Amino acid sequence: MSRTRVAILISGRGSNMAALIEAAKRADYPAEIVLVLSNNPDAVGLVRAREAGIATAIVDHKPYGKDRDAFERALQGELAARQIEIVCLAGFMRLFTPGFVQKWQGRMLNIHPSLLPSFKGLDPHGQALAAGVKLHGATVHFVVPEMDSGPIVAQVAVPVLEEDTPETLATRVLAAEHRIYPLALRLVAEDRVHIVDGRCAIDGARFAEFGMANPTG
Ligand code: GRF
């Protein structure tokens, strides 16, 4: 079986990256994590990736200053050198130009810790608590030029508890993120996700082996 070649882009601790690497260890997983790339040379996730035996690369954005095109050309060089087919953003804290997004249209995923389209941007957990929602969660979506938007591949819901703080809620959502991202990547790598009129149609999506995640694959 030829497996889809995936790069994970990180800026920090890389717990979603670790979940994807773990999932891809299974022989029947349709994607292979070929590269972990960070814009932050000090990202803890880089250490975790190396420990897992995954190739890493650093493209520090700082020397490029405001020249985002040059930064993205350097990124693209690393991705092309390893014949990457799908990019997974996992806590990657840089915004891309529309040109770069276009180049990876339908082949770049992101995870955001809210049930999009609610609570885009910073502090989604604080936003959720302020809004008083009783269910919160996480979303894996294809990347489009607008931040935290784009066709939704998979979502998972978690309850909001009366005593939650942004931190306790973030911890509960993060555990759910680690389930949903490997699932979403699997669906995409199996070529079961089709973007129709800006929405994802998923071949053979079934409902719920593990609670409130949709779909389960
Ligand atoms: C996650 O909550 C992810 O949803 C958000 O940034 C955080 C990254 O955490 N985009 P980690 O680096 O994967 O641990």
Side-chain angles (χ1 to χ4, degrees):
M1 178 183 70
S2 114
R3 306 209 287 162
T4 304
R5 296 173 67 80
V6 172
I8 306 174
L9 271 53
I10 64 167
S11 298
R13 83 191 144 183
S15 71
N16 278 290
M17 172 209 76
L20 290 169
I21 290 173
E22 192 57 35
K25 282 184 185 164
R26 289 181 54 134
D28 63 352
Y29 197 77
E32 177 186 6
I33 311 304
V34 174
L35 176 69
V36 169
L37 195 157
S38 176
N39 67 304
N40 170 14
D42 301 321
V44 173
L46 285 171
V47 180
R48 301 176 78 171
R50 287 185 201 116
E51 282 169 3
I54 310 287
T56 60
I58 296 166
V59 181
D60 190 347
H61 61 280
K62 286 191 231 69
Y64 296 97
K66 288 193 164 53
D67 191 349
R68 288 207 288 165
D69 287 329
F71 170 64
E72 290 172 354
R73 274 197 300 277
L75 278 186
Q76 181 61 32
E78 295 288 346
L79 299 174
R82 302 213 180 243
Q83 290 109 40
I84 297 303
E85 297 167 290
I86 292 178
V87 169
C88 290
L89 307 182
F92 186 70
M93 301 302 282
R94 308 301 299 172
L95 290 176
F96 292 124
T97 63
F100 188 82
V101 171
Q102 177 69 31
K103 203 189 296 280
W104 286 92
Q105 191 181 23
R107 300 186 301 139
M108 182 155 62
L109 296 169
N110 181 45
I111 187 159
H112 181 74
S114 77
L115 290 173
L116 290 173
S118 293
F119 315 135
K120 298 177 181 182
L122 294 176
D123 191 21
H125 308 300
Q127 292 186 54
L129 290 175
V133 295
K134 304 304 179 211
L135 287 172
H136 185 39
T139 302
V140 178
H141 63 94
F142 284 108
V143 174
V144 296
E146 192 191 334
M147 188 177 68
D148 299 331
S149 301
I152 291 170
V153 179
Q155 293 187 302
V156 60
V158 302
V160 180
L161 305 183
E162 210 54 50
E163 61 274 21
D164 266 332
T165 64
E167 291 73 29
T168 59
L169 188 51
T171 301
R172 193 174 314 113
V173 171
L174 192 64
E177 291 182 50
H178 298 163
R179 299 206 312 271
I180 202 82
Y181 211 167
L183 167 61
L185 175 59
R186 177 158 67 80
L187 294 173
V188 173
E190 286 173 347
D191 207 17
R192 292 166 59 190
V193 181
H194 311 285
I195 301 173
V196 182
D197 295 335
R199 289 179 296 177
C200 289
I202 298 171
D203 293 341
R206 288 176 288 113
F207 201 46
E209 290 114 44
F210 48 73
M212 301 176 75
N214 175 41
T216 63

